[in-house]
Amino acid sequence: MALAHANPHLHVTVLEMPAYVSMAEEKISGFGLDGRVTVRGFDLFADEFPDGYDCVLFAHQMVIWTPEQNTELLRKAHRALVPGGRVVIFNSMSNDTGDGPLIAALDSVYFAALPAEGGMIYPWRQHEKSMADAGFVGFERIPCPTWTPHGILIGRKPKE
């Protein structure tokens, strides 16, 4: 919703678990963004992403899954994007040398303690590898200097 407020030309489709669609629609309506932000019930791994979009944003998703699952999600995004479209990953990132920042290591311990397989604070290079394996090119890293090691990673679908 913040993206839509900051960019009046922007139209957003939120893919949400079906049980939470009505809750999301209420929030969107409360922000006065009906018609510009829509919600679709969606199963992240079972459903194909809707096509014809110029950007797919993964916000705090790529820390939950294994690298193989992340690559598959990025492949789905690639299929959904128009030529020249962009994929954006926004989440915590560890550095490529594997020795920091400290909070990334501490957060990875949390993921390691969960009973479900996968999930950790991956290094930038792991996300770039997953993007490349999915067909994206031209990576751009944007570090977000906060107390948590967040970053934005952008890749582009070739114009074919």
Side-chain angles (χ1 to χ4, degrees):
M1 289 183 272
L3 288 171
H5 271 297
N7 300 279
H9 66 284
L10 193 65
H11 291 268
V12 176
T13 301
V14 176
L15 303 178
E16 183 60 83
M17 294 187 302
Y20 297 101
V21 168
S22 61
M23 184 186 311
E25 288 172 335
E26 278 183 42
K27 281 203 162 287
I28 291 163
S29 186
F31 279 90
L33 292 169
D34 298 308
R36 290 199 33 237
V37 179
T38 57
V39 183
R40 291 179 62 164
F42 190 77
D43 182 314
L44 193 59
F45 288 101
D47 298 334
E48 280 296 314
F49 291 7
D51 62 5
Y53 286 85
D54 57 10
C55 184
V56 173
L57 167 65
F58 291 99
H60 293 284
Q61 284 293 310
M62 300 301 184
V63 296
I64 300 171
W65 316 109
T66 65
E68 295 78 20
Q69 289 171 309
N70 287 344
T71 301
E72 181 51 37
L73 292 173
L74 288 162
R75 284 186 180 117
K76 286 183 172 196
H78 192 274
R79 290 191 294 270
L81 287 167
V82 298
R86 300 194 187 289
V87 65
V88 178
I89 296 174
F90 170 74
N91 57 231
S92 294
M93 305 279 191
S94 69
N95 62 27
D96 288 335
T97 58
D99 59 359
L102 177 61
I103 195 71
L106 295 172
D107 282 350
S108 289
V109 170
Y110 162 79
F111 285 109
L114 295 176
E117 179 187 343
M120 70 176 285
I121 308 302
Y122 298 106
W124 293 87
R125 63 180 160 70
Q126 176 59 57
H127 294 299
E128 289 170 338
K129 180 184 182 322
S130 292
M131 282 182 165
D133 289 349
F136 291 100
V137 297
F139 309 124
E140 178 184 359
R141 294 180 180 191
I142 304 171
C144 301
T146 62
W147 71 274
T148 60
H150 279 78
I152 299 166
L153 181 60
I154 303 169
R156 183 180 45 80
K157 179 177 179 175
K159 290 192 178 184
E160 299 173 336

